[in-house]
């Protein structure tokens, strides 16, 4: 009864456990029931009826020995029966539905250089690994499938093969022991075979004898398989009969692999592993996202830099426009300007074009808001911005512009002279930064923030242009050409002056005597207009001249050059008229040396030219005739040499502003002195040693220059008369 | 595959339970729990008298114990037997045929109290031996009843297609095994006390019989049955829980 009920329970329970319920088949459980009955029943009867006499007659060790063997056999039997043989879980139907249709039946895998076929299992929906086979009774694919054993009602696979093998070995040993000891008992009780002990013992011996033959045979078969490293399935199907078995590792290693290797993992009951896999993704994703975030941050940084550059370029006009409204912000981007041009030349070229326009805008607002105090402050600022040399220069520019246009046919000589002058002016500009700074600050304090901001911007623009002009000689010449174009545009922007200059430019190519006369007449007319205009228009008129000075370095240099030629021209003509024919044939190298000497002499020429037109400029610009005749001017002029004359001029003009500003200006002017003093030393030697070649150069250029300058002298005489 | 192994466990457990039940029933029904071997010399002197005393006289533990000691007696839970020669004819044969005569313990006799003996005087009642004797014949009945109940539960579980009762079956078999072990312990204890009070005469040896061994071997079989059923119930429950979780996931 219990057996039947147990079987029924198993069948009933099987249904709900697995997805496809199977009908309970009692026939499947008959072998295992028989095996259990004979094994346990025979052994227990042997212990009850035979062992008591054996323990009494021989020794009590015999029952203990038999008990140990029996327990070992029973343990292996249970392990082989109830252990998972190594079932592979089936693939989920949704995942492999497509693969099932298109998958080929066989797929070859190479193991130890031998091709082994893997067959597609339609039930489990995957390719069976090598040595894996599908058991139709269990309806599962088993790893290292050996056979399905009905006596244990379980598949014998990789995981439980060793227990099955040990079960066979121990069972064979147990049967031999029981049969042997039973035989001993029977032999000792031949005369008492009618007792129940003898009867039971003989029955047990019969059962043992019946089972010994098949069990021993099976044990021998499996011993051979283990030694050869094969499975029953491979042996029966003849899988590696023709070729080499790639799964064998030698007799001893095969045996140790079966008996002593570690337990193979279980695939079916591992629900935890997928759970752990599910848990990991949340932790893995943040790390990836962090990496992606880092990459994004880097990209954003790069993009931000580009945007910042664009914003800088776009903000430049905005800053200039908003200068009046928001003074404080401008200084920050201005600080960035000097760094950028050093990095890229193209940007430098762009910056060269950009700065002039804001400077123009800066000047126009001042003109638009002409307060008396502001005008007074701006006036000294402008003077401070312009060097002492440049301050008297407007009259010089006006007077010399005519000769400059006339001297255009000598473009080559003019260019060389301009190059030298450019170098000098560059130094002057840099020096000017010093006095400009404190002057600007003082102006800001007294006048207001707007003045400070304006002055700051203008100064920042100057060094950038100067630095750009500091390039190579060829590049400087090209840039000078560009600067020449700029002043033309600036001149055209203004009305009457524009028309006058345009007429001058147009008339220059005619090269006729009538043209010279016409040039003289329009030059006089703008001067009269400038003198007649009121004070505020004068300042407005001044601003373009100042901008023209900074933008038109070339013209300024040309003017100075012409002045120098004019003054020594007269003296040298009278003194050195005979030597010119001897120097008419000098080699080209000598010409280069002479040009260099001219460049060295240029600062002195400038100083000499400044001395002679200084008085004229004073006459023109001084509002008070009394000051011109004052003993202050006369005394320092006579006492101090040419170098000190500049100091006197600065002191004179700066008397009007506050004492603090005058002190600052004096200190800055003193700082400017050293560069003036340094040039004369190297120039002294070449002058003394090469006085004649210099004269020769001048004599060469004299005939054309003399003719033009004679007319110039006439022009100057007219100015003096006026 | 999973259900197949659990079903196999249940089948094997059922087989073992059946074997244990058979062994216990046989042990309880036979009288070979304890046996005495007497020297043949004394048989001739008092054989007929002891025989008449063993068979005819009223129930007295003292008297039948003496008979068992001197006439190769065997004692069981429900039977006591002696080995005596056959009926004597007018002439005596040199080798008389021995025959077994058994007397059963009636139910009232099973519950009769036991007394301590000092010589031939009747003394006070021995409660320990009394209760041990009662337990030793009741526990096997309880064990068999438990196994029968397990069978009923198993049949119901099979009809209802439910695996839960398997746990109950395992627990019942565990209790049955304990009862079987208790029976053997009580019998051995009681017999030892009996020999202390009324010592067998010299030359008489006693030994355990095969019935006692059968009862003793039934105990581990029932333990194994309980283990298999409990394992199947617990593992199946765990696996079922996992499969349910898997399906939900």
């Amino acid at each position: 009864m219990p057996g039947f009920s147990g079987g029924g329970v198993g069948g009933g329970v099987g249904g709900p456990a697995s997805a496809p319920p199977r009908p309970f088949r009692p026939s499947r459980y008959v072998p295992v029931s028989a095996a259990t009955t004979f094994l346990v029943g025979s052994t227990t009867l042997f212990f009850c009826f035979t062992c008591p006499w054996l323990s009494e007659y021989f020794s009590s060790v015999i029952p203990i020995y038999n008990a140990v063997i029996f327990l070992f056999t029973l343990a292996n039997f249970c392990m082989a029966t109830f252990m998972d043989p190594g079932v592979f879980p089936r693939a989920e139907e949704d995942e492999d539905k497509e693969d099932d249709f298109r998958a080929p039946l066989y797929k070859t895998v190479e193991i130890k250089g031998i091709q082994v076929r893997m067959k597609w299992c339609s039930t489990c929906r995957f390719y069976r690994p090598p040595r894996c086979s599908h058991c139709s009774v269990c309806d599962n694919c088993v790893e290292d499938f050996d056979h399905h054993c009905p006596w244990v009602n379980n598949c014998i696979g990789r995981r439980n093969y060793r227990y099955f093998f040990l079960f066979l070995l121990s069972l064979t040993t147990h049967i031999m022991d029981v049969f042997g000891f039973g035989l001993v008992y029977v032999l000792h009780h031949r005369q008492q075979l009618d007792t129940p002990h003898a009867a039971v013992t003989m029955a047990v011996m019969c059962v043992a004898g019946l089972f010994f033959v098949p069990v021993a045979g099976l044990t021998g078969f499996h011993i051979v398989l283990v030694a050869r490293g094969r499975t029953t399935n491979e042996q029966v199907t003849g899988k590696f009969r023709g070729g080499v078995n790639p799964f064998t590792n030698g007799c001893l290693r095969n045996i140790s692999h079966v008996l002593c290797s570690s337990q193979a993992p279980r695939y079916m009951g591992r629900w935890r592993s997928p759970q752990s896999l599910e848990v990991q993704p949340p932790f893995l994703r943040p790390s990836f996202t962090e990496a992606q975030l880092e990459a994004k941050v880097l990209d954003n940084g790069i993009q931000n830099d580009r945007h910042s550059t664009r914003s800088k370029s776009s903000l430049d006009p905005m800053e200039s426009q908003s200068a009046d409204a928001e003074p404080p912000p401008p200084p920050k981007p201005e600080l960035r300007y000097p760094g950028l041009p050093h990095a890229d030349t193209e940007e430098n070229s762009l910056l060269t074009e950009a700065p002039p326009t804001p400077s123009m805008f800066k000047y126009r607002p001042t003109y638009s808001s002409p307060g008396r105090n502001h005008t007074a402050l701006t006036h000294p600022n402008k003077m401070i911005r312009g060097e002492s040399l440049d301050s008297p220069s407007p009259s010089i520019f006006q007077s010399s512009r005519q000769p400059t246009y006339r001297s255009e046919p000598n473009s080559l000589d003019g260019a060389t002279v301009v190059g030298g002058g450019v170098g000098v002016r560059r130094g002057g500009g840099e020096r000017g930064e010093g006095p400009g700074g404190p002057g600007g600050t003082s102006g800001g304090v007294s006048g207001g923030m707007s003045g400070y901001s304006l002055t700051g911007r203008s100064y920042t623009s100057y060094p950038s242009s100067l630095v750009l002009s500091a390039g190579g000689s060829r590049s400087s010449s090209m840039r000078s050409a560009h600067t020449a174009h700029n002043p033309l545009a600036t001149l055209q922007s203004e009305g009457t002056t524009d028309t006058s200059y345009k007429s001058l430019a147009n008339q220059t190519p005619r090269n006729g005597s009538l043209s010279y006369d016409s040039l003289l007449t329009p030059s006089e007319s703008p001067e009269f207009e400038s003198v007649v205009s009121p004070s505020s228009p004068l300042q407005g008129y001044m601003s373009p001249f100042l901008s023209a000075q900074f933008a038109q370095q070339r013209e300024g240099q040309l003017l100075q050059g012409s002045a120098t030629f004019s003054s020594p021209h007269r003296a040298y003509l009278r003194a050195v008229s005979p030597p010119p024919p001897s120097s008419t044939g000098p080699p080209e190298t000598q010409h280069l040396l002479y040009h260099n000497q001219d460049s060295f002499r240029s600062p002195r020429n400038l100083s000499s030219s400044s001395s002679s037109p200084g008085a004229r400029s004073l006459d023109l610009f001084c509002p008070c005739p009394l000051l011109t005749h004052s003993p202050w001017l006369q005394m320092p002029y006579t006492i101090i040499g040419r170098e000190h004359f500049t100091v006197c001029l600065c002191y004179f003009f700066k008397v009007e502003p506050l004492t603090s500003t005058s002190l600052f200006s004096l200190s800055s002017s003193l700082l400017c002195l050293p560069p003036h003093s340094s040039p004369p030393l190297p120039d002294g030697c070449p002058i003394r040693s090469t006085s004649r070649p210099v004269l020769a150069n001048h004599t060469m250029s004299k005939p054309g220059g003399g003719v033009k300058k004679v007319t110039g002298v006439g022009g100057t005489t007219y100015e003096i008369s006026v | 595959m999973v259900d197949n192994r659990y079903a196999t466990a249940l089948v094997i457990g059922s087989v073992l339970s059946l074997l244990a039940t058979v062994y216990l029933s046989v042990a309880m029904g036979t009288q070979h729990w304890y046996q005495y071997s007497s020297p043949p010399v004394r048989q001739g002197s008092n054989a007929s008298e002891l025989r008449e005393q063993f068979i005819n006289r009223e129930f007295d533990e003292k008297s039948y114990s003496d008979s068992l000691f001197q006439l190769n007696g065997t004692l069981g839970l429900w039977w006591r037997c002696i080995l005596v020669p056959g009926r004597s004819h007018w002439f005596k044969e040199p080798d008389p045929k021995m025959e077994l005569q058994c007397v059963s313990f009636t139910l009232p006799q099973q519950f009769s109290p036991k007394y301590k003996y000092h010589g031939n005087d009747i003394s006070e009642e021995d409660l320990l031996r009394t209760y041990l004797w009662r337990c030793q014949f009741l526990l096997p009945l309880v064990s068999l009843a438990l196994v029968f109940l397990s069978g009923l539960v198993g049949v119901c579980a099979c009809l209802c297609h439910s695996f839960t009762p398997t746990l109950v079956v395992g627990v019942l078999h565990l209790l049955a095994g304990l009862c079987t072990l208790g029976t053997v312990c009580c019998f051995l204890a009681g017999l030892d006390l009996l020999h202390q009070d009324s010592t067998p005469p010299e030359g008489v040896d006693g030994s355990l019989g095969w019935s006692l061994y059968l009862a003793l071997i039934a105990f581990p079989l029932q333990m194994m049955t309980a283990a298999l059923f409990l394992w199947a119930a617990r593992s199946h429950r765990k696996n079922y829980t996992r499969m349910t979780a898997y399906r939900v996931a």
Side-chain angles (χ1 to χ4, degrees):
Chain A
M1 290 300 294
F4 289 102
S5 65
V9 168
V13 171
S18 64
R22 304 176 189 175
F24 171 64
R25 300 175 182 175
S27 61
R28 291 175 53 186
Y29 301 97
V30 169
V32 65
S33 302
T36 306
T37 303
F38 285 114
L39 176 62
V40 176
S42 301
T43 305
T44 51
L45 291 176
F46 174 80
F47 281 120
C48 293
F49 292 92
T50 309
C51 284
W53 179 81
L54 292 172
S55 63
E56 182 179 357
Y57 188 81
F58 290 101
S59 173
S60 61
V61 176
I62 294 175
I64 294 172
Y65 166 75
N66 281 278
V68 169
I69 296 290
F70 172 69
L71 290 176
F72 187 70
T73 303
L74 198 63
N76 284 302
F77 175 79
C78 292
M79 293 293 280
T81 302
F82 303 125
M83 179 176 279
D84 180 5
V87 174
F88 285 110
R90 298 181 179 182
E92 294 185 358
E93 186 174 0
D94 298 336
E95 293 177 0
D96 297 341
K97 185 170 287 185
E98 296 179 358
D99 294 343
D100 196 349
F101 287 109
R102 73 176 79 165
L105 187 60
Y106 290 101
K107 182 178 286 184
T108 305
V109 173
E110 184 173 344
I111 298 175
K112 295 185 179 179
I114 298 171
Q115 298 293 327
V116 180
R117 292 193 308 178
M118 294 200 304
K119 188 175 182 180
W120 174 262
C121 184
S122 60
T123 304
C124 303
R125 291 184 288 277
F126 58 70
Y127 283 100
R128 303 170 190 165
R131 315 193 84 183
C132 177
S133 181
H134 188 87
C135 177
S136 59
V137 179
C138 303
D139 198 18
N140 282 313
C141 287
V142 179
E143 184 180 12
D144 287 8
F145 178 76
D146 191 87
H147 68 287
H148 180 85
C149 183
W151 303 106
V152 299
N153 195 20
N154 195 14
C155 290
I156 306 301
R158 179 181 176 186
R159 300 185 79 241
N160 62 351
Y161 181 79
R162 73 179 65 180
Y163 301 110
F164 179 77
F165 185 66
L166 291 175
F167 168 67
L168 291 179
L169 292 176
S170 58
L171 183 61
T172 304
T173 305
H174 183 60
I175 291 175
M176 291 191 295
D177 292 338
V178 169
F179 187 87
F181 287 116
L183 185 61
V184 169
Y185 179 90
V186 169
L187 292 177
H188 279 82
H189 296 79
R190 286 174 293 181
Q191 298 177 359
Q192 303 176 7
L193 295 180
D194 58 343
T195 60
H197 294 266
V200 169
T201 301
M202 286 189 291
V204 167
M205 287 175 62
C206 292
V207 172
L210 289 174
F211 277 94
F212 177 76
V213 173
V215 169
L218 188 62
T219 304
F221 177 72
H222 277 277
I223 289 173
V224 172
L225 290 181
V226 167
R228 296 173 63 183
R230 297 168 68 91
T231 59
T232 303
N233 189 36
E234 293 169 358
Q235 182 69 20
V236 171
T237 58
K239 194 166 186 178
F240 303 113
R241 185 170 298 171
V244 179
N245 182 12
F247 302 105
T248 182
N249 297 319
C251 181
L252 294 178
R253 292 191 64 181
N254 289 336
I255 295 173
S256 65
H257 173 70
V258 168
L259 299 178
C260 306
S261 66
S262 62
Q263 184 66 45
R266 187 181 180 188
Y267 309 117
M268 285 294 287
R270 297 190 301 173
W271 298 114
R272 293 181 180 178
S273 58
Q275 293 178 358
S276 65
L277 290 175
E278 290 175 359
V279 172
Q280 287 178 359
F283 294 99
L284 291 174
R285 288 176 183 174
S287 63
F288 286 118
T289 53
E290 289 175 358
Q292 292 176 357
L293 287 173
E294 290 177 357
K296 290 179 179 178
V297 168
L298 293 174
D299 294 337
N300 292 335
I302 294 168
Q303 292 176 359
N304 290 336
D305 292 336
R306 294 178 181 178
H307 286 298
S308 64
T309 56
R310 294 178 182 178
S311 65
K312 289 179 180 178
S313 63
S314 64
L315 288 172
D316 289 340
M318 294 297 292
E319 291 173 358
S320 62
Q321 293 177 0
S322 66
D324 298 337
E326 297 178 354
K332 295 180 180 179
E334 291 170 359
L335 293 172
R336 296 177 184 176
Y337 285 137
L340 291 174
H342 293 288
D344 296 331
T345 57
E346 292 179 355
E347 291 179 357
N348 293 333
S349 64
L350 292 171
L351 290 171
T352 54
E353 294 177 358
T357 52
S359 64
M360 293 297 292
F361 291 127
K362 292 174 183 177
Y363 287 112
R364 289 180 181 179
T366 57
Y367 177 76
S368 64
S369 64
R372 292 181 180 180
N373 295 329
H374 288 287
T375 54
L377 291 171
T378 53
H379 183 70
N381 290 332
K382 292 178 181 178
M383 296 305 293
I384 293 165
R385 296 170 189 172
E387 294 178 353
S388 60
L389 293 173
D390 294 338
S391 61
S393 63
S395 64
I396 295 168
F397 289 152
Q398 292 176 359
S399 63
S400 63
R401 283 175 182 174
Q402 298 173 1
T404 55
Y405 287 112
R406 293 174 183 177
S407 66
E408 285 180 356
N410 297 330
S411 63
L412 294 175
D413 295 338
T416 57
V417 173
V418 168
V422 168
V424 173
R425 285 302 179 88
R426 295 170 189 172
E430 292 176 359
R431 297 166 191 171
E433 291 179 1
T441 55
S442 63
V445 171
S446 62
M449 295 180 73
S450 62
Y452 174 73
S453 64
L454 289 172
T455 56
R457 290 179 181 177
S458 63
Y459 284 112
T460 55
S461 65
Y462 296 159
S464 63
S465 64
L466 291 171
V467 171
L468 293 171
S469 64
S473 63
R474 295 179 181 179
S475 63
S476 65
S477 64
M478 294 298 291
R479 290 174 183 175
S480 63
H482 288 289
T483 55
H485 288 289
N486 291 333
L488 292 173
T490 56
L491 291 171
Q492 291 176 358
S493 65
E494 294 178 355
T496 57
T497 57
D498 292 341
T499 55
S500 65
Y501 289 112
K502 288 179 180 179
S503 64
L504 291 172
N506 293 329
Q507 290 175 358
T508 51
R510 294 179 181 179
N511 297 326
S513 62
L514 294 174
S515 67
Y516 292 155
D517 294 336
S518 66
L519 287 172
L520 289 171
T521 53
S523 65
E524 292 176 357
S525 63
E527 291 177 356
F528 288 109
E529 289 178 357
S530 65
V531 170
V532 174
S533 66
S535 64
S536 61
L538 284 172
Q539 292 176 355
Y541 184 74
M542 290 291 291
S543 61
F545 282 107
L546 291 173
S547 65
Q549 289 177 4
F550 296 113
Q552 301 175 2
Q553 295 176 356
R554 183 179 180 183
E555 292 183 356
Q557 295 163 3
L558 289 170
L559 292 172
Q560 292 180 356
S562 64
T564 55
F565 283 109
S566 64
S567 61
H569 179 67
R570 298 174 182 178
Y572 291 128
L573 283 172
R574 295 176 182 179
V576 190
S577 62
S582 65
S583 66
T584 55
E588 295 179 356
T589 56
Q590 293 178 357
H591 283 286
L592 293 172
L593 292 172
Y594 297 152
H595 290 292
N596 292 332
Q597 292 173 358
D598 292 336
S599 66
F600 283 110
R601 290 182 180 180
S602 62
R604 292 187 177 183
N605 294 331
L606 291 172
S607 63
S608 63
S609 64
S610 65
S611 64
S612 60
R616 297 176 183 178
S617 66
L618 289 172
D619 294 335
L620 291 172
F621 290 96
C622 289
C624 302
L626 294 175
L627 290 174
T628 56
H629 297 286
S630 67
W632 286 99
L633 288 175
Q634 292 178 359
M635 291 183 69
Y637 178 78
T638 56
I639 294 168
I640 301 170
R642 296 174 181 176
E643 296 175 357
H644 294 285
F645 179 74
T646 59
V647 174
C648 296
L649 291 174
C650 293
Y651 178 76
F652 171 75
F653 284 105
K654 293 175 184 177
V655 169
E656 293 179 356
L658 296 175
T659 56
S660 62
T661 56
S662 65
L663 290 172
F664 284 114
S665 64
L666 288 172
S667 64
S668 64
S669 64
L670 290 171
L671 291 172
C672 293
L673 289 173
H676 285 290
S677 62
S678 61
L681 294 175
D683 293 340
C685 297
I687 292 170
R688 296 176 183 178
S689 64
T690 60
S691 61
R692 292 182 180 181
V694 171
L695 294 172
N697 291 333
H698 287 285
T699 55
M700 290 177 68
S701 64
K702 285 176 183 177
V707 172
K708 294 180 180 179
K709 292 181 179 179
V710 167
T711 58
V713 169
T716 55
T717 56
Y718 283 104
E719 290 178 357
I720 293 170
S721 65
V722 170
Chain B
M1 182 60 209
V2 173
D3 60 321
N4 184 55
R5 288 188 296 149
Y6 298 140
T8 305
L10 299 182
V11 169
I12 293 175
S14 302
V15 169
L16 295 177
S17 177
L18 186 61
L19 282 175
T21 304
V22 170
Y23 289 168
L24 188 61
S25 301
V26 170
M28 187 168 63
T30 58
Q31 75 281 2
H32 291 278
W33 286 70
Y34 198 84
Q35 53 193 3
Y36 300 94
S37 60
S38 308
V41 176
R42 296 187 178 184
Q43 293 181 3
S45 61
N46 297 328
S48 61
E49 184 178 355
L50 291 173
R51 175 180 176 183
E52 293 296 333
Q53 181 179 358
F54 182 80
I55 297 174
N56 297 329
R57 289 186 58 182
E58 295 179 355
F59 176 76
D60 184 9
E61 185 179 14
K62 176 66 175 176
S63 61
Y64 78 75
S65 296
D66 292 339
S67 299
L68 292 174
F69 294 158
Q70 299 178 17
L71 295 176
N72 294 321
T74 57
L75 182 62
L77 296 181
W78 292 88
W79 296 88
R80 59 184 184 274
C81 302
I82 58 176
L83 193 64
V84 295
R87 292 179 177 278
S88 62
H89 298 281
W90 60 272
F91 58 91
K92 290 187 176 181
E93 295 178 357
D95 187 2
K97 182 178 181 181
M98 308 299 287
E99 64 178 6
L100 187 68
Q101 294 189 359
C102 301
V103 178
S104 65
F105 292 99
T106 60
L107 194 61
Q109 292 176 356
Q110 292 282 14
F111 286 98
S112 64
K114 307 297 181 183
Y115 300 95
K116 294 182 179 179
Y117 301 100
H118 297 285
N120 293 327
D121 298 335
I122 299 173
S123 62
E124 68 279 8
E125 181 180 0
D126 189 353
L127 294 176
L128 181 58
R129 289 187 56 248
T130 303
Y131 286 112
L132 285 175
W133 183 269
R134 291 174 183 175
C135 290
Q136 78 182 20
F137 83 90
L138 289 175
L139 285 176
L141 297 176
V142 172
S143 177
L144 291 178
L146 289 173
V147 170
F148 183 74
L149 183 61
S150 300
L152 290 177
V153 171
V155 171
C156 293
C158 177
L159 296 176
C160 299
H161 297 282
S162 173
F163 209 88
T164 305
T166 307
L167 187 65
V168 177
V169 173
V171 172
L172 291 176
H173 275 88
L174 184 65
L175 297 177
L178 294 176
C179 292
T180 304
L181 184 64
T183 299
V184 173
C185 294
C186 292
F187 181 85
L188 292 176
L191 195 62
D192 184 69
L193 291 176
L194 176 62
H195 290 168
Q196 289 180 1
D197 292 344
S198 58
T199 308
E202 297 178 358
V204 177
D205 296 330
S207 64
L208 300 176
W210 53 267
S211 298
L212 183 68
Y213 288 125
L214 282 180
L216 192 60
I217 206 72
F219 163 70
L221 294 182
Q222 288 175 331
M223 290 291 111
M224 290 166 61
T225 302
L228 286 171
F229 275 91
L230 292 173
W231 173 80
R234 186 182 63 85
S235 297
H236 176 71
R237 176 179 296 179
K238 181 190 293 184
N239 203 326
Y240 184 80
T241 304
R242 288 175 174 176
M243 292 185 72
T244 303
Y246 180 76
R247 290 173 182 174
V248 171

